[in-house]
Structure formats: C-alpha cells, structure tokens
C-alpha cells in the first residue's frame, strides 16, 4: 500500500506542477479568463503567503513548517502508523498538496494560484490546495466516525453490564 500512496503523491505533485506551468505560460500574460462569467474564472495570482494570503512575506517560516509537517507525515506513512485502508490515502493527498505548494515556495518564491470562484469572493487557490482540503476533510470524517463508533460500543457495553 505504501508504494501505491507514494505513487499517488508523485502523480498528484506532477499534475499540480503541470497545471501551474500551464497557468504561468498561458494565463499570466492575460491575467484572468472567465469560464462562467462572474462565477468561476481562471485568474493568475502570485500568493506570497499561506491560505487566503495570511502570513504574507513569511516564506522562510512557511517553508520550514511545511517541510516539517510533510516529513513527519511521510515518515508516519512509511512506518504504517495510520489506521485502516482509506486514512493513509487521505494523508497522501495532504502530503501531495503540501509538496506541490512547497515546490512553488522554494523554486518560485510564491505559490501560483488560479482557481477563482469570484461569485463567493473566496481567495484564489490551486490544485494542491484542493488536495490538502479534500484530504483533511476526509481525515476529519474518518476520525469523527471512529469516535462515534467508539461511543456507541461503550454505550452498548454499559447497557449489557446493567
């Protein structure tokens, strides 16, 4: 399973970097292309901070923290410290997204963002961000469901003891 997750990480980082290359090549010169006018645009943004533009200009801090988190998750993946079959794959998604944006910070000095849902005035984001968010959401769901099962089994055990 570890080989599969590592392959997924490599593939997703490759897709992310390909998208960003295409965005820099074709979108940067024009700035923005409305795909659905006033709803969804492809908009070139250089993000010098983190999610939503927080921590602007703190590239060194972001690189250090991201590297530590990625290395920790990577080691835990290799050591098979995550439960179940699905959970490690979601950690792989988070790692892939982190590596994609880390590559930008190290080699470009900023993260390339381009997905712009302008109708909700949400910050522009990218494919790597999607990987992180989807991975974290599924991890949260897995943890919450596990806690619910634990509470239910404790309640069932207590009913049986009564």
């Amino acid at each position: 399973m570890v080989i599969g997750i590592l392959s997924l990480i490599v593939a997703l980082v490759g897709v992310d970097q390909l998208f960003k290359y295409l965005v820099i090549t074709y979108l940067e010169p024009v700035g923005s292309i409305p795909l659905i006018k006033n709803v969804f645009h492809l908009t070139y943004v250089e993000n010098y901070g983190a999610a939503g533009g927080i921590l602007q200009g703190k590239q060194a801090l972001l690189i250090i923290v991201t590297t530590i988190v990625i290395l920790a998750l990577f080691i835990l993946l290799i050591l098979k410290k995550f439960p179940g079959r699905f959970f490690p794959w979601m950690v792989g998604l988070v790692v892939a997204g982190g590596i994609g944006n880390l590559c930008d910070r190290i080699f470009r000095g900023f993260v390339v963002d381009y997905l712009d849902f302008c109708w909700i005035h949400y910050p522009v984001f990218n494919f790597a961000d999607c990987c992180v968010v989807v991975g974290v959401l599924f991890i949260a769901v897995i943890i919450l469901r596990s806690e619910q099962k634990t509470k239910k089994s404790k309640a069932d055990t207590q009913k049986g003891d009564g």
Side-chain angles (χ1 to χ4, degrees):
M1 179 163 56
V2 172
I3 300 280
I5 295 169
L6 295 177
S7 298
L8 174 73
I9 291 169
V10 169
L12 291 175
V13 171
V15 167
D16 174 65
Q17 291 301 303
L18 173 63
F19 285 167
K20 290 172 178 173
Y21 168 80
L22 294 171
V23 164
I24 290 169
T25 303
Y26 299 106
L27 188 58
E28 181 184 16
V30 296
S32 186
I33 299 171
L35 297 181
I36 303 171
K37 190 174 180 167
N38 297 322
V39 175
F40 179 67
H41 297 192
L42 295 178
T43 302
Y44 179 80
V45 173
E46 294 177 358
N47 184 350
Y48 291 87
I54 62 171
L55 298 173
Q56 286 292 318
K58 305 285 187 194
Q59 291 298 336
L61 173 67
L62 292 169
I63 288 169
I64 291 166
V65 169
T66 304
T67 301
I68 291 168
V69 170
I70 289 170
L71 286 174
L73 291 174
F74 188 73
I75 290 167
L76 292 171
L77 273 173
I78 290 173
L79 296 176
K80 300 178 182 181
K81 295 294 184 182
F82 296 109
R85 292 184 179 170
F86 193 62
F87 197 101
W89 290 92
M90 295 305 99
V91 172
L93 270 179
V94 173
V95 169
I99 291 171
N101 284 339
L102 181 62
C103 289
D104 280 12
R105 285 191 178 95
I106 291 171
F107 298 111
R108 293 187 178 99
F110 56 87
V111 174
V112 176
D113 288 331
Y114 50 88
L115 300 172
D116 184 6
F117 285 94
C118 42
W119 68 280
I120 57 174
H121 304 289
Y122 192 77
V124 180
F125 57 100
N126 62 45
F127 178 76
D129 298 332
C130 294
C131 290
V132 171
V133 168
V134 168
V136 168
L137 285 175
F138 275 104
I139 288 169
V141 168
I142 292 166
I143 290 170
L144 290 172
R145 290 179 88 193
S146 174
E147 287 179 8
Q148 287 175 340
K149 286 180 184 177
T150 302
K151 285 180 183 177
K152 185 179 181 321
S153 99
K154 282 183 182 178
D156 291 346
T157 303
Q158 288 174 349
K159 285 180 187 177
D161 292 343

